[in-house]
């Protein structure tokens, strides 16, 4: 049997194992196409995160899937810069960033808005302590649960977000489909 005949038999067979192999190959091909597309467009093999808390409400809700663009492919526009240039994302000024809290690997990243950038020695906020190094001051959009900057509370206490801690910038959201991922991870 030549290659063309083998392909035809594989494609048309009703045999359970051949059908299973076809389905597995189709799924693998779909994953490969999605991963390649993600790498080309977002600069990441897995550009999606599920929102796990209400800290970004009403602009991002628990269970939303957020598509992240790799930080190497873009520049961060802070809330302060966005106000001056009328640049908005997710219904507010500036970019929402995904970052590793305290730069730690293996912990759940934080997705909050970059409010402004401070240089080493500058006050982190009006009347606040001096920044130990340069970085971003961040804050969730939820006005009820996030009245203070992350650096004033438990998220990134007294530590601006260093540029190397930033994973990427939030670009798009798909509502609610992240609930499946959250359920599977036990949240």
């Amino acid at each position: 049997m030549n290659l063309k005949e083998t392909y035809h038999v594989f494609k048309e067979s009703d045999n359970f194992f051949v059908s299973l192999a076809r389905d597995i190959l189709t799924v693998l091909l779909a994953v490969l196409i999605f991963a390649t597309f993600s790498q080309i467009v977002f600069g990441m093999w897995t550009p999606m995160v599920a929102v796990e808390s209400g800290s970004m409400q009403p602009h991002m809700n628990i269970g939303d899937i957020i598509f992240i663009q790799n930080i190497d492919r873009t520049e961060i526009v802070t809330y302060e810069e966005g106000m001056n240039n009328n640049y908005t994302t997710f219904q507010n000024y500036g970019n929402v960033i995904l970052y590793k809290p305290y730069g730690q690997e293996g912990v759940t990243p934080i997705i909050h808005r970059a409010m402004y950038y401070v240089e080493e020695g500058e006050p982190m906020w009006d009347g606040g302590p001096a920044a130990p190094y340069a970085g971003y001051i961040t804050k969730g959009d939820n006005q009820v649960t996030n009245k203070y900057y992350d650096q004033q509370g438990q998220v990134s206490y007294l530590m601006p977000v260093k540029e190397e801690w930033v994973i990427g910038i939030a670009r798009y959201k798909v509502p609610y489909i992240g609930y499946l991922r959250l359920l599977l991870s036990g949240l």
Side-chain angles (χ1 to χ4, degrees):
M1 201 175 346
N2 66 25
L3 188 58
K4 188 175 181 180
E5 290 172 344
T6 303
Y7 171 74
H8 181 71
V9 168
F10 181 75
K11 184 179 171 193
E12 302 296 327
S13 176
D14 287 335
N15 179 290
F16 171 78
F17 293 107
V18 173
S19 178
L20 180 63
R22 265 194 326 257
D23 291 345
I24 290 170
L25 285 174
T26 301
V27 168
L28 289 175
L29 183 61
V31 168
L32 179 64
I33 289 169
F34 177 78
T36 302
F37 174 79
S38 296
Q39 183 63 32
I40 291 168
V41 173
F42 297 105
M44 303 173 85
W45 292 108
T46 55
M48 301 176 296
V49 295
V51 177
E52 297 180 8
S53 78
S55 68
M56 286 299 292
Q57 289 176 336
H59 307 125
M60 294 178 185
N61 297 299
I62 296 172
D64 289 352
I65 287 287
I66 307 299
F67 283 84
I68 304 296
Q69 183 178 23
N70 190 311
I71 193 61
D72 296 336
R73 298 232 176 145
T74 188
E75 295 289 324
I76 297 172
V77 176
T78 65
Y79 178 92
E80 191 174 71
E81 294 166 334
M83 255 177 49
N84 294 333
N85 301 326
N86 202 31
Y87 172 83
T88 63
T89 61
F90 296 95
Q91 298 85 41
N92 210 340
Y93 294 113
N95 288 132
V96 174
I97 62 173
L98 181 73
Y99 70 91
K100 300 176 227 170
Y102 303 107
Q104 296 174 322
E105 297 290 335
V107 298
T108 302
I110 304 295
I111 188 163
H112 279 175
R113 196 167 300 275
M115 301 304 288
Y116 52 89
Y117 191 84
V118 294
E119 295 293 340
E120 181 179 348
E122 290 182 350
M124 289 188 276
W125 53 87
D126 286 338
Y133 48 81
Y136 294 97
I137 302 300
T138 54
K139 185 175 183 286
D141 286 353
N142 188 323
Q143 295 300 316
V144 175
T145 61
N146 292 74
K147 294 179 183 180
Y148 304 102
Y149 298 115
D150 295 346
Q151 290 67 31
Q152 290 174 286
Q154 297 177 13
V155 176
S156 191
Y157 186 64
L158 298 180
M159 303 194 78
V161 176
K162 292 182 179 181
E163 290 186 24
E164 58 264 25
W165 297 354
V166 179
I167 298 166
I169 293 176
R171 291 295 182 203
Y172 310 102
K173 82 172 179 176
V174 179
Y176 308 116
I177 65 169
Y179 273 113
L180 178 60
R181 184 221 166 262
L182 296 176
L183 288 172
L184 292 175
S185 69
L187 290 177

